[in-house]
Amino acid sequence: MATVHLRIGDLVWGKLGRYPPWPGKIVSPPKDLKKPRGKKCFFVKFFGTEDHAWIKVEQLKPYHPHKEEMIKINKGKRFQQAVDAVEEFIKKVKAKEALHSLAEDKNRSGGDEKGKATEKGRKNSGKKVKSRGGKEEMTPRKRGRPPKEDKELTHAASSTVSRMGPGTVSGFKWQSPGSSLEPISKRLKILEEDTRSTSIQAADSTAINGNIIPTDKRIGFLGLGLMGSGIVANLLKMGHIVTVWNRTAEKCDLFIQEGARLGRTPAEVVSMCDITFSCVSDPKAAKDLVLGPSGVLQGIRPGKCYVEMSTVDPETVVELSQVITSRGGRFLEAPVSGSQQLSNEGMLVILAAGDRSLYEDCSSCFQAMGKSSFFLGEVGNAAKMMLILNMVHGSFMATIAEGLTLAQATGQSQQTFLDILSQGQMASTFLDQKCQNVLQGNFKPDYYLKHIQKDLRLAIAMGDSVNHPTPMAAAANEVYKRAKALDQSDNDMSAVYRAYIH
């Protein structure tokens, strides 16, 4: 294949990591960004996203010659939107060039005889005319240079064919991701820590901004509760192909209307999909989903991937990992920290552990559902960390409720108590929302009280297993148990307040 030269401004197809080829434009990198060592690469901005990356030259193809080929092999909604964005960009560039050419023509006409002659020559461009010496010669059409601010657009609209540049592309054989691929999306950065954990952090919600290239893998999702519903909604919104199942089948209807597919059983979902996520209420439900009749295990075969997002104890998640991998499957635990509101907004925090390559395969899914994700190593670590986090949340909520009721009992204003807290070091969205729930008597579930009590119980048991005291969690757990006895299980965790007033 002939060598094709690329330079800044060219439109290209770029292969970023495990994602399909995506349309982009070669641009100048930020001044403070160093070019990766090794093979030649270009800095590419991808259309339809806010993603930028250094891409090796062998992972780039010119846009125009390969357009039809790429459109045939990529069918996703987000991909089509990106292609539409490229075509719209090209139209704007051509329109701007045409306007500029017209302006130049008018300037050259000038209104005098010389201008008229020039105009006549322009109309006869490419034709033979008589010169003053009687000889026939060509009168090529001339155009002025575009203004400085138009240069990049002009380069981008031109076809990316043989032109000398700082690097070349030959062969166009896509390669697996290499160390020279360094995405630097404005909303995304990857941090490697001494603890061997990885944090993928977003400055804002990718689900809100829509800056995600969805994986081409088929995604399954089991469990459409408070958390699962928001997660699936964002996966669909970002263009993922999703098959859903829920114990109460009616909950699937809304997602089917939004483009999801329906699986009749957990086993069928796993069989139909490449990666299947589950998010259910507790360890028993998680085990039943995998080991029960028509369960996940019946659909697992070599290469199938299972991601457990439920908050369970470490022993349960290790057991599930063992049975999945014994059938040749790949396993990742990925419980989520957050609430229904954060799930709906795509602002969850994902804690993952297990198969590192599966974690990377889930990248676009995690970006759709959360603002950040952490890889914590071996299976069981994410469950431990999640229980510790929820132990703190639960204990904190019980303490807030205790403070509000003590303020009332001593004749102090609960609103003033909240106002003072909100101005101090404890100020947070969590504090404000939960206190407002109490003051308004609105305990619509954002995170079920019964679930936070379950997490406290599991955290206490985990502490016992390593002979570590958890007296604060134990005290809070008793308050939540009291609230459950008062029929508050299906209310929000802030309804623990009622345990103090009855």
Side-chain angles (χ1 to χ4, degrees):
M1 180 180 291
T3 298
V4 179
H5 301 273
L6 298 174
R7 67 179 182 179
I8 290 175
D10 285 349
L11 298 177
V12 294
W13 297 98
K15 187 76 168 63
L16 176 59
R18 300 175 183 274
Y19 297 121
W22 205 261
K25 181 177 70 171
I26 297 176
V27 298
S28 298
K31 293 181 180 179
D32 58 347
L33 185 66
K34 293 183 179 180
K35 193 171 184 179
R37 295 180 180 179
K39 295 185 178 181
K40 291 182 179 180
C41 55
F42 288 94
F43 194 67
V44 176
K45 177 181 179 181
F46 291 98
F47 282 87
T49 78
E50 290 297 324
D51 288 325
H52 300 68
W54 286 108
I55 306 294
K56 293 179 182 179
V57 292
E58 60 265 30
Q59 293 172 309
L60 293 170
K61 291 185 178 183
Y63 178 78
H64 295 286
H66 297 275
K67 176 182 172 182
E68 297 302 322
E69 169 194 345
M70 295 303 172
I71 290 176
K72 287 181 181 179
I73 63 176
N74 297 302
K75 301 294 183 181
K77 180 179 179 182
R78 297 289 298 170
F79 173 82
Q80 186 57 53
Q81 291 173 344
V83 173
D84 292 343
V86 179
E87 297 303 313
E88 184 64 25
F89 173 75
I90 293 172
K91 287 180 182 178
K92 289 181 179 179
V93 172
K94 289 182 177 179
K96 200 163 188 176
E97 282 186 331
L99 288 173
H100 179 74
S101 177
L102 181 61
E104 288 291 321
D105 289 348
K106 289 182 178 179
N107 289 336
R108 278 194 293 267
S109 64
D112 56 12
E113 290 299 317
K114 185 176 180 180
K116 291 179 181 179
T118 303
E119 182 67 18
K120 183 176 180 181
R122 185 177 296 110
K123 290 181 179 179
N124 293 312
S125 176
K127 297 180 180 180
K128 293 182 178 180
V129 296
K130 294 280 187 177
S131 66
R132 290 183 179 180
K135 296 181 179 180
E136 290 186 339
E137 56 184 33
M138 299 298 294
T139 58
R141 181 177 179 176
K142 296 183 180 179
R143 292 186 180 181
R145 291 184 179 180
K148 185 176 181 180
E149 62 270 22
D150 290 348
K151 285 185 177 180
E152 183 179 76
L153 297 179
T154 304
H155 285 319
S158 61
S159 176
T160 51
V161 294
S162 298
R163 296 187 293 182
M164 293 302 295
T168 61
V169 179
S170 60
F172 300 122
K173 183 178 180 181
W174 299 126
Q175 296 189 352
S176 59
S179 60
S180 68
L181 290 177
E182 299 180 7
I184 60 162
S185 165
K186 294 178 181 178
R187 58 174 171 74
L188 188 66
K189 60 180 179 178
I190 299 179
L191 306 174
E192 291 291 346
E193 302 180 1
D194 293 338
T195 58
R196 296 184 180 274
S197 69
T198 299
S199 165
I200 301 179
Q201 298 182 318
D204 50 20
S205 170
T206 53
I208 293 174
N209 292 334
N211 302 323
I212 297 170
I213 302 174
T215 178
D216 56 359
K217 295 183 182 298
R218 296 164 296 179
I219 303 301
F221 204 95
L222 312 175
L224 299 174
L226 291 183
M227 307 298 278
S229 294
I231 290 171
V232 171
N234 281 312
L235 288 173
L236 290 170
K237 180 180 178 182
M238 295 302 105
H240 294 83
I241 301 171
V242 185
T243 299
V244 297
W245 174 90
N246 191 70
R247 184 173 55 184
T248 306
E250 290 76 15
K251 286 189 176 181
C252 297
D253 293 344
L254 177 62
F255 300 100
I256 302 303
Q257 294 173 16
E258 294 299 318
R261 302 171 184 179
L262 179 64
R264 293 173 296 180
T265 66
E268 182 177 83
V269 173
V270 173
S271 297
M272 294 169 61
C273 300
D274 301 304
I275 303 174
T276 300
F277 295 84
S278 73
C279 188
V280 292
S281 59
D282 55 37
K284 183 180 184 304
K287 288 182 180 180
D288 290 346
L289 195 61
V290 174
L291 305 173
S294 300
V296 167
L297 197 58
Q298 295 184 23
I300 292 292
R301 59 178 183 269
K304 291 292 184 180
C305 303
Y306 190 64
V307 183
E308 181 57 80
M309 305 193 78
S310 313
T311 300
V312 298
D313 55 282
E315 293 75 20
T316 294
V317 78
V318 168
E319 179 183 348
L320 296 179
S321 173
Q322 290 173 345
V323 297
I324 295 295
T325 55
S326 70
R327 297 288 184 89
R330 298 162 63 198
F331 183 87
L332 185 75
E333 60 167 329
V336 292
S337 178
S339 61
Q340 181 185 36
Q341 180 179 343
L342 294 176
S343 176
N344 292 341
E345 294 173 352
M347 295 290 281
L348 295 169
V349 176
I350 299 103
L351 308 183
D355 189 318
R356 178 59 183 262
S357 63
L358 177 51
Y359 171 70
E360 294 170 353
D361 287 344
C362 293
S363 176
S364 72
C365 296
F366 289 158
Q367 290 179 48
M369 64 181 76
K371 66 177 181 179
S372 59
S373 69
F374 294 80
F375 185 78
L376 303 177
E378 64 183 18
V379 171
N381 284 347
K384 294 172 185 176
M385 186 67 80
M386 185 58 65
L387 289 180
I388 295 169
L389 288 171
N390 284 356
M391 178 187 75
V392 173
H393 283 147
S395 299
F396 184 43
M397 183 67 247
T399 301
I400 293 172
E402 192 170 291
L404 284 167
T405 52
L406 182 58
Q408 185 178 46
T410 57
Q412 304 304 304
S413 165
Q414 291 182 325
Q415 182 62 60
T416 301
F417 171 70
L418 170 58
D419 292 342
I420 295 170
L421 280 179
S422 298
Q423 294 300 313
Q425 293 179 324
M426 296 175 64
S428 66
T429 302
F430 177 83
L431 174 71
D432 183 65
Q433 288 179 341
K434 298 309 180 186
C435 285
Q436 290 300 331
N437 285 355
V438 171
L439 296 180
Q440 297 169 13
N442 175 18
F443 299 108
K444 180 181 178 181
D446 193 42
Y447 193 96
Y448 283 120
L449 184 143
K450 62 185 178 184
H451 289 169
I452 199 67
Q453 191 273 320
K454 174 261 299 182
D455 295 342
L456 281 165
R457 172 174 55 81
L458 294 176
I460 293 167
M462 184 171 68
D464 290 342
S465 71
V466 293
N467 197 31
H468 183 82
T470 53
M472 300 298 105
N477 186 47
E478 293 303 316
V479 183
Y480 283 98
K481 286 164 65 176
R482 168 68 176 160
K484 287 177 66 178
L486 295 170
D487 201 27
Q488 301 300 310
S489 290
D490 292 325
N491 282 333
D492 186 71
M493 63 184 292
S494 54
V496 69
Y497 172 82
R498 289 180 171 170
Y500 289 96
I501 59 176
H502 288 83

